[in-house]
Amino acid sequence: MEMLENYLLQVKKYSLLSAEEEIALSKKIKDGDKKALDTLIKSNLRLVISIAKKFTASNKFSMMDLIQEGNMGLMAAASKYNYSFSTRFSTYAYTWILQYMLRFIYNKTSMISLPHRKEELLRKIITVQNDYSQNYGREPSITELSECIGISEEEISSVLAFTYSVTSIDYECSEDGSSTLGDFIYDNKYCPERELMNKEERKSVMKMINLLPKNERDVIYHRYNLNQEQHVPTLRELSKVLGVSAETVRQMEIRAVTKMKKIAMNYERTGLVTA
């Protein structure tokens, strides 16, 4: 709250501009005067605050977050404004500021974030669908939506692919209320068949490793963390443990993996785990 109060005090230092001053600044900005651009922006910071206040009544959004987004819209408007538009800068900037704030709000309130343009077009399509249904008593086709909105059928189909609905897993699915949607969701955290296969695979791998010479076996254990340690040693760290060079450890690992591949191929042919 203190940050907001300090910001409001700073903004009050910048005086408002007259129509003549805006025109003069606009001409300078057109010539590349950055100082004039800065003056135009700072003199309209109060406009951003006044717009932001309209969205903070519900306390769902931070005032400073909305002001920050609105200021970005203000800067975009200032860089594009031209005195030949025959309108006050505040009138021109209002739409830009509002657009940036609404984009921020939509991104924060959507359960699934979509690109702003897609989100905006999706809302427009849904509005047209609802109006059409009320007027004609049926859902419009893609072709009819294309004619109403003025965009291609391919783009409408692409945007409609983003539609989604959100349902609580506590939604009751039975008449007596004994079953919820969550009761019908498959739990894949534990699968007995997968657990059994993993155990059998581990046994086969351990049999192969036990056929290796001790040093190579130790390297494989450490390098592939078969002991499930918190830290997997590097080649240099393992070389100090085994009393050999890091390069030697690397060569031992390569030899061990090559031998295990041969053991695995022999196992596929004969069904026996032998060196």
Side-chain angles (χ1 to χ4, degrees):
M1 193 66 182
E2 184 178 349
M3 183 185 297
L4 176 60
E5 291 175 355
N6 291 334
Y7 179 78
L8 296 177
L9 289 174
Q10 291 179 1
V11 169
K12 289 180 180 179
K13 296 178 182 179
Y14 306 115
S15 58
L16 300 177
L17 300 172
S18 65
E20 292 75 17
E21 289 173 325
E22 287 181 357
I23 293 174
L25 288 173
S26 177
K27 292 179 178 179
K28 291 180 180 179
I29 293 170
K30 189 176 180 180
D31 294 333
D33 192 330
K34 293 184 179 180
K35 187 176 180 180
L37 178 63
D38 186 59
T39 301
L40 183 61
I41 293 171
K42 288 180 177 178
S43 298
N44 285 275
L45 291 173
R46 298 184 199 183
L47 174 62
V48 176
I49 296 172
S50 66
I51 299 173
K53 286 180 179 178
K54 298 178 181 179
F55 295 103
T56 55
S58 61
N59 295 321
K60 290 183 179 180
F61 307 102
S62 164
M63 182 74 163
M64 285 306 301
D65 286 342
L66 285 169
I67 289 174
Q68 183 177 358
E69 294 297 321
N71 284 346
M72 292 174 62
L74 175 63
M75 289 186 286
S79 64
K80 297 177 181 295
Y81 178 67
N82 193 297
Y83 62 92
S84 63
F85 292 164
S86 300
T87 183
R88 292 297 301 271
F89 175 71
S90 58
T91 304
Y92 175 78
Y94 184 93
T95 304
W96 283 91
I97 297 168
L98 186 63
Q99 179 183 345
Y100 273 72
M101 287 187 184
L102 288 175
R103 181 180 301 178
F104 169 78
I105 291 171
Y106 292 146
N107 289 338
K108 288 293 182 182
T109 54
S110 296
M111 294 295 292
I112 302 174
S113 296
L114 298 176
H116 174 67
R117 184 177 176 277
K118 296 290 185 183
E119 183 85 46
E120 198 173 57
L121 187 53
L122 180 58
R123 286 195 302 273
K124 186 176 182 180
I125 291 174
I126 292 174
T127 300
V128 172
Q129 282 181 322
N130 293 335
D131 292 343
Y132 195 98
S133 298
Q134 290 179 358
N135 292 331
Y136 298 98
R138 64 177 178 82
E139 289 287 329
S141 65
I142 299 296
T143 302
E144 289 167 336
L145 284 173
S146 175
E147 293 174 354
C148 292
I149 300 174
I151 59 176
S152 67
E153 295 181 21
E154 291 77 11
E155 188 169 3
I156 287 181
S157 298
S158 174
V159 173
L160 285 175
F162 290 107
T163 56
Y164 61 88
S165 60
V166 180
T167 304
S168 171
I169 60 173
D170 295 323
Y171 177 79
E172 295 181 356
C173 299
S174 58
E175 293 182 0
D176 59 0
S178 61
S179 301
T180 64
L181 181 62
D183 296 329
F184 297 94
I185 299 176
Y186 175 71
D187 183 7
N188 58 1
K189 290 183 179 179
Y190 177 74
C191 177
E193 294 84 358
R194 189 183 299 113
E195 287 290 324
L196 178 62
M197 291 298 295
N198 289 339
K199 287 181 180 179
E200 291 301 317
E201 286 180 1
R202 183 178 177 82
K203 285 181 182 178
S204 299
V205 172
M206 297 306 294
K207 286 180 181 179
M208 296 179 193
I209 294 174
N210 289 333
L211 294 174
L212 299 173
K214 184 180 184 308
N215 281 350
E216 293 179 3
R217 186 165 64 245
D218 289 342
V219 169
I220 293 297
Y221 262 92
H222 286 292
R223 292 291 289 159
Y224 292 90
N225 199 24
L226 297 179
N227 292 325
Q228 296 183 341
E229 301 170 350
Q230 292 184 348
H231 172 68
V232 180
T234 62
L235 289 175
R236 188 177 297 277
E237 291 171 341
L238 194 52
S239 69
K240 293 179 180 179
V241 175
L242 299 177
V244 295
S245 67
E247 177 59 24
T248 300
V249 173
R250 191 179 72 83
Q251 292 295 333
M252 290 168 64
E253 182 181 352
I254 293 174
R255 285 198 301 271
V257 172
T258 301
K259 290 177 182 178
M260 288 183 64
K261 287 181 179 178
K262 290 180 180 179
I263 295 172
M265 292 174 63
N266 185 55
Y267 174 73
E268 288 184 357
R269 291 196 304 270
T270 65
L272 300 174
V273 180
T274 56

